[in-house]
Amino acid sequence: MPSPPRRNGETENGGSGGKLGMGPLIRLVAVPDGMGPDDDRNNLLRLTVFMQEHMAPRVEELIRRSGEEEAAVDGDGDGWGRIRCVVADYDVGTWALDVASRTGVKSAAVWPASAAVMASQLSVPELIRDKIIDAHGSALTQEAFQLSPDMPMMQPAHLAWNCIGNDQGQELLFSCVLAGVRAVDECDYILCNSFRDAEAATFSRFPKILPIGPLLTGERPGKPVGHFWRPEDGACMSWLDVQPARSVVYVAFGSFTVFDRRQFQELALGLELTGRPFLWVVRPDIVHGDVHEYPDGFLDRVVASGNGGGRGKVVAWAPQQRVLAHPAVACFVSHCGWNSIMEGVRNGVPFVAWPYFADQFVNRAYICDIWRVGLPAVADKKSGMVTKEHLAGRVEEVMGDAGMRERIDMVVAHESVQEGGCSHGNFDMFVESIMS
């Protein structure tokens, strides 16, 4: 949020509306979200409700007050002026779009997932009309549906609001989705972390969704962002350097995925069964007690220690963009988070697709059915688990499929963000619009 510049890095910290100095071009303003220091901000539903209740009035006050700062600051005539545009994360910030509407400034919703999932939320009235879901968002059928030809098949039970929390939580989330649909109807842009060639059918049907991606934050030299657990383990890069080309299985399940004990151990044994080198990201928050423990002897048998040895490496967090760009990596066992998919596609690495919740099921459809650059991990009907034999077999199929690698090389992502590319042009147009 803009605020008047201060001299030579001076800062002014406060509660509601406190200013934080960040140089001559960016000003940060602290706006409390209403949660306490011990509250769990991974509880997305609770966080969303608190932000709307506590942050919206303060941000509205900030916007209305910003016009008063047209006057000179310290007599140098260099005021920041009125806030021109609100750019808000759609998932937790649609209340900010409402604030923009009330205050008469332009607005843009940032959608970090696939355009197809955004389209499913914009299509809620049609889904209710066609009796795919009821007025509370619950699935009325088990039949898959398409919003239009060439878009991914979707399962009603896998729609984002039906995958998080209990019945009460899902109903609350669906109400937030409805509020979001109303908010984006009035906003000027929906900025999407995707690119036109990846989702051409979706962008054709929903022209208000503007692709500006892929946004690969991991490429910022020395300034990795997007992870929450601890500093990235750069040692894994030197480990990759000594592995043969296209030999390593990279395994990462994002920030939220949690397996039960049996599935965690089956995954470990499946990686051992491949007989291939692997780099496995295991968040420290999920290895505790008897919930997530490695199979007996697993670490001693197959995991490289600080002294070397072993053909696998386990880290708490990895510089994923750099890992996927490494020539040693040949396969990505992924939870199908959209950022991970964009990074994998950008670097030409095929997938074993193992979604956990929400948009990840639609993303799997892109990987396996639309682009055909990966294979799904399928749970055994009897045990309900992805077995070690199945996982090892899928890895072998993916790594041995030359046609799959050729297809993923044809999904050209990086050209979109280069000068002259569609995403580059869209972003330039957006900036020019908000400055006019």
Side-chain angles (χ1 to χ4, degrees), residues 213-374:
L215 305 174
L216 300 177
T217 56
E219 289 190 339
R220 299 175 65 206
K223 296 181 181 294
V225 297
H227 61 88
F228 310 98
W229 304 102
R230 58 179 57 187
E232 295 165 336
D233 188 341
C236 66
M237 298 307 298
S238 57
W239 179 84
L240 284 173
D241 288 342
V242 300
Q243 306 304 318
R246 294 187 177 180
S247 66
V248 173
V249 182
Y250 174 58
V251 187
F253 287 92
S255 305
F256 287 97
T257 304
V258 178
F259 293 116
D260 64 32
R261 180 174 176 271
R262 291 189 311 151
Q263 183 62 87
F264 183 81
Q265 295 197 345
E266 200 74 6
L267 168 57
L269 294 173
L271 294 176
E272 181 178 6
L273 190 60
T274 66
R276 296 184 177 274
F278 62 85
L279 174 61
W280 185 11
V281 179
V282 181
R283 300 194 318 269
D285 67 303
I286 66 170
V287 183
H288 55 83
D290 62 354
V291 178
H292 288 90
E293 60 181 28
Y294 297 99
D296 291 342
F298 172 78
L299 295 177
D300 293 333
R301 290 194 306 271
V302 296
V303 174
S305 67
N307 298 321
R311 57 176 173 76
K313 188 167 183 62
V314 175
V315 297
W317 206 254
Q320 182 162 284
Q321 168 60 25
R322 292 170 57 205
V323 167
L324 290 169
H326 198 285
V329 174
C331 174
F332 186 5
V333 180
S334 172
H335 67 307
C336 305
W338 189 249
N339 286 334
S340 292
I341 289 177
M342 290 290 97
E343 290 174 338
V345 167
R346 168 75 179 270
N347 290 290
V349 180
F351 299 83
V352 174
W354 191 339
Y356 178 62
F357 74 155
D359 66 304
Q360 296 161 13
F361 295 100
V362 174
N363 301 342
R364 176 181 62 185
Y366 269 127
I367 290 171
C368 301
D369 304 326
I370 306 294
W371 306 330
R372 296 188 298 126
V373 296

Side-chain angles (χ1 to χ4, degrees), residues 6-283:
R6 303 181 66 82
R7 294 190 188 96
N8 300 323
E10 286 182 327
T11 66
E12 178 185 332
N13 296 302
S16 172
K19 302 184 181 89
L20 307 176
M22 285 292 289
L25 296 178
I26 299 176
R27 306 299 294 183
L28 301 183
V29 178
V31 181
D33 61 14
M35 299 186 78
D38 297 326
D39 286 331
D40 180 13
R41 285 175 172 79
N42 285 326
N43 185 331
L44 299 182
L45 293 175
R46 181 175 169 83
L47 176 62
T48 299
V49 171
F50 268 72
M51 290 175 69
Q52 181 166 347
E53 179 180 348
H54 292 270
M55 297 182 73
R58 292 167 174 82
V59 171
E60 181 168 346
E61 177 189 3
L62 179 66
I63 294 174
R64 295 189 185 281
R65 211 175 58 221
S66 67
E68 302 171 5
E69 295 173 348
E70 295 279 4
V73 177
D74 294 335
D76 62 6
D78 189 22
W80 281 78
R82 183 169 178 78
I83 292 172
R84 295 172 179 264
C85 183
V86 171
V87 181
D89 184 297
Y90 176 90
D91 280 329
V92 293
T94 52
W95 55 266
L97 303 177
D98 290 331
V99 169
S101 178
R102 290 196 298 270
T103 54
V105 301
K106 294 180 180 179
S107 61
V110 177
W111 179 249
S114 72
V117 174
M118 177 81 260
S120 72
Q121 300 198 14
L122 296 178
S123 300
V124 162
E126 289 80 7
L127 298 179
I128 294 174
R129 179 199 65 199
D130 296 339
K131 300 189 184 315
I132 294 172
I133 59 174
D134 64 19
H136 303 288
S138 299
L140 293 176
T141 176
Q142 297 182 3
E143 296 292 327
F145 67 93
Q146 280 179 295
L147 295 175
S148 72
D150 299 323
M151 285 185 64
M153 298 294 295
M154 300 183 184
Q155 295 284 345
H158 288 164
L159 292 167
W161 56 85
N162 285 328
C163 296
I164 300 175
N166 53 26
D167 290 344
Q168 183 180 2
Q170 290 173 6
E171 187 171 344
L172 177 59
L173 180 58
F174 186 65
S175 68
C176 293
V177 168
L178 294 179
V181 171
R182 291 191 293 269
V184 298
D185 279 343
E186 297 182 2
C187 76
D188 297 284
Y189 297 99
I190 305 172
L191 306 178
C192 183
N193 182 20
S194 185
F195 57 103
R196 186 164 297 279
D197 288 348
E199 303 187 81
T202 304
F203 291 121
S204 294
R205 177 168 176 188
F206 297 87
K208 192 172 184 177
I209 306 176
L210 203 65
I212 60 167
L215 305 174
L216 300 177
T217 56
E219 289 190 339
R220 299 175 65 206
K223 296 181 181 294
V225 297
H227 61 88
F228 310 98
W229 304 102
R230 58 179 57 187
E232 295 165 336
D233 188 341
C236 66
M237 298 307 298
S238 57
W239 179 84
L240 284 173
D241 288 342
V242 300
Q243 306 304 318
R246 294 187 177 180
S247 66
V248 173
V249 182
Y250 174 58
V251 187
F253 287 92
S255 305
F256 287 97
T257 304
V258 178
F259 293 116
D260 64 32
R261 180 174 176 271
R262 291 189 311 151
Q263 183 62 87
F264 183 81
Q265 295 197 345
E266 200 74 6
L267 168 57
L269 294 173
L271 294 176
E272 181 178 6
L273 190 60
T274 66
R276 296 184 177 274
F278 62 85
L279 174 61
W280 185 11
V281 179
V282 181
R283 300 194 318 269

